[in-house]
Amino acid sequence: VALARFTTAAGSGRGDAVDAALVFDTSLSMQASAGLDNGAPVTCFGRAKAAANAILASLPPNSTVSVIAASRE
């Protein structure tokens, strides 16, 4: 899963806009339980969505994002 190991490249440090791509694994295995979040059950896909939201919130203004769904199924 691309989002599980998201890293940022060193940039200019000025908050310049970036072009990003978020790749979601949409295979059936992503519906597996990934434990609890604040006492509520969460799936692997749910954790990936939460990670994506955190990434989106941290992007500089005027950044662009492509969202890609990937699965063998």
Side-chain angles (χ1 to χ4, degrees), residues 5-69:
R5 307 244 185 256
F6 180 79
T7 60
T8 57
S12 64
R14 296 181 307 214
D16 295 336
V18 299
D19 297 317
L22 301 177
V23 181
F24 285 90
D25 177 353
T26 58
S27 65
L28 196 54
S29 64
M30 290 296 286
Q31 295 306 312
S33 175
L36 300 175
D37 188 12
N38 293 322
V42 65
T43 63
C44 295
F45 191 80
R47 291 217 187 264
K49 285 184 1 182
N53 283 330
I55 291 165
L56 292 173
S58 70
L59 292 177
N62 300 315
S63 294
T64 61
V65 179
S66 295
V67 178
I68 302 163

